[in-house]
Amino acid sequence: MTPRPRFIVSASPHLKAPVSTPVIMWTVVASLLPIVAASFYFFGISAPLVILACCAGALGAEAITGSRHTLVDGSALITGILLGLSLPASLPLWMGVIGGAVAITLGKRIFGGLGYNIFNPALLGRAFLMAAFPVPMTTWPAPATHLWRLVGDNFALPLMSADPAAMVTAATPLGLAKFERTQTAIVPLILGTTGGSLGETSAIVILACGAYLAVRGFLNWRTPASILLTVALLSGVIHQVDPNRPGPLFMLFSGGLILGAVYMATDMVTSPTTNRGRWIFGIGIGALVVLIRLWGGLPEAVMYAILLMNAVVPYINRATQPRVFGTRLPKVAA
């Protein structure tokens, strides 16, 4: 008698994707390494020290509040690197550790872990540091003249103020444009030879790394494209009406817009799941960046724009979901 075939009953999904979450996360980490190297080139040894401090805080918080699986999947390391790239090179390291810990605990674990968080964890950590330590967060060092020389008092003791004499400060291009009506040339902005955060290094490097992720299918090009197009078009119209306002090229390559558009707005968890939603999301971010930069109290706006649009992502997803086939009842003939 031929035995009857056995059927295995299991919960869905029944198909396994060829790419896992750790593969995606570690690929993103690898794509960030050239940007970290560029920040080291422009700001010296202080740059990797600040990034390592943020990573230590993020990984430490993940180890305490998460599990071994979440610790090694690369997501906490991405948060630490992106947070570090959004900070000034002169920041005391103990602040970076706190920022990384806050980014994981309040930005991810409090919502239930990876996949459940509403806001981008790295930007939430930066928002906390901005509120808690406004002076060191808005004190920008000049690019380093020597790779192995600190550009600030990075080793200031915890809860102690950094020594202001330990660095040479430099105004950011956005600060010069907003408060002094002085615009920086476009070439230094593209190359990254200006003051600012570690992620304001080289737009060419960031765009190249983002293109690599897009080719691998780990980044949806619609989000950064919609952000950059909106900033270019809106700032271009305003510049035509008022030539004293910055032009589109300056608005695109100044500040942390390129880094935010490529790496933070495209976060798979906190961005829309539909292509139409990604366009709406990106247009909203781009419009907020221009409006806050030109009429807000602070020169930079990328962090606030992305966090504000993160909050409306559930509504964007709900409004842009395609209709499920078969749910529409047929019309009954009279």
Side-chain angles (χ1 to χ4, degrees):
M1 182 176 179
T2 304
R4 301 177 67 179
R6 299 176 61 187
F7 293 94
I8 299 176
V9 180
S10 62
S12 62
H14 305 291
L15 298 177
K16 183 178 180 181
V19 178
S20 62
T21 298
V23 170
I24 296 174
M25 295 299 172
W26 284 105
T27 302
V28 175
V29 169
S31 74
L32 285 167
L33 294 181
I35 306 174
V36 174
S39 69
F40 169 60
Y41 176 80
F42 288 113
F43 292 101
I45 192 62
S46 291
L49 287 177
V50 170
I51 294 173
L52 286 174
C54 295
C55 291
L59 292 172
E62 189 71 50
I64 295 173
T65 61
S67 63
R68 181 183 178 277
H69 175 73
T70 60
L71 183 63
V72 299
D73 66 5
S75 60
L77 189 59
I78 292 176
T79 298
I81 295 175
L82 289 177
L83 173 62
L85 289 173
S86 70
L87 302 177
S90 58
L91 194 77
L93 300 184
W94 65 271
M95 295 183 185
V97 173
I98 292 177
V102 169
I104 293 298
T105 54
L106 297 185
K108 187 172 74 170
R109 299 305 308 176
I110 197 173
F111 293 101
L114 182 64
Y116 297 96
N117 51 292
I118 300 173
F119 302 101
N120 182 281
L123 290 178
L124 199 65
R126 188 184 191 280
F128 170 82
L129 290 176
M130 192 72 181
F133 312 108
V135 174
M137 284 290 292
T138 54
T139 303
W140 308 102
T145 56
H146 193 286
L147 289 181
W148 305 104
R149 185 177 301 159
L150 298 176
V151 297
D153 192 9
N154 298 113
F155 291 100
L157 296 176
L159 304 181
M160 300 293 290
S161 300
D163 183 6
M167 68 173 175
V168 178
T169 59
T172 64
L174 284 173
L176 289 172
K178 188 174 187 66
F179 302 118
E180 300 183 20
R181 299 293 182 180
T182 302
Q183 292 192 25
T184 307
I186 300 301
V187 174
L189 292 177
I190 297 176
L191 297 179
T193 56
T194 60
S197 67
L198 299 179
E200 298 176 32
T201 50
S202 177
I204 297 176
V205 175
I206 298 173
L207 291 173
C209 295
Y212 167 75
L213 291 179
V215 171
R216 291 291 305 274
F218 300 157
L219 181 153
N220 193 298
W221 62 269
R222 294 169 181 83
T223 301
S226 57
I227 294 172
L228 300 179
L229 284 174
T230 302
V231 170
L233 291 174
L234 186 56
S235 61
V237 171
I238 295 174
H239 179 69
Q240 290 297 320
V241 175
D242 183 2
N244 293 322
R245 298 290 186 180
L249 288 178
F250 177 85
M251 293 291 283
L252 285 174
F253 293 108
S254 60
L257 179 62
I258 301 295
L259 180 69
V262 172
Y263 277 97
M264 296 178 177
T266 56
D267 178 22
M268 295 181 181
V269 178
T270 59
S271 61
T273 57
T274 65
N275 287 336
R276 188 155 57 107
R278 293 183 180 102
W279 284 106
I280 297 172
F281 181 68
I283 291 172
I285 292 174
L288 285 172
V289 166
V290 175
L291 295 176
I292 297 175
R293 278 184 177 182
L294 295 183
W295 289 284
L298 294 173
E300 181 57 292
V302 176
M303 175 182 71
Y304 300 106
I306 295 177
L307 289 176
L308 287 172
M309 290 304 297
N310 284 159
V312 300
V313 164
Y315 303 100
I316 295 176
N317 284 334
R318 189 181 307 169
T320 59
Q321 286 295 332
R323 183 181 297 275
V324 180
F325 181 77
T327 60
R328 191 173 184 178
L329 295 177
K331 293 182 179 179
V332 180

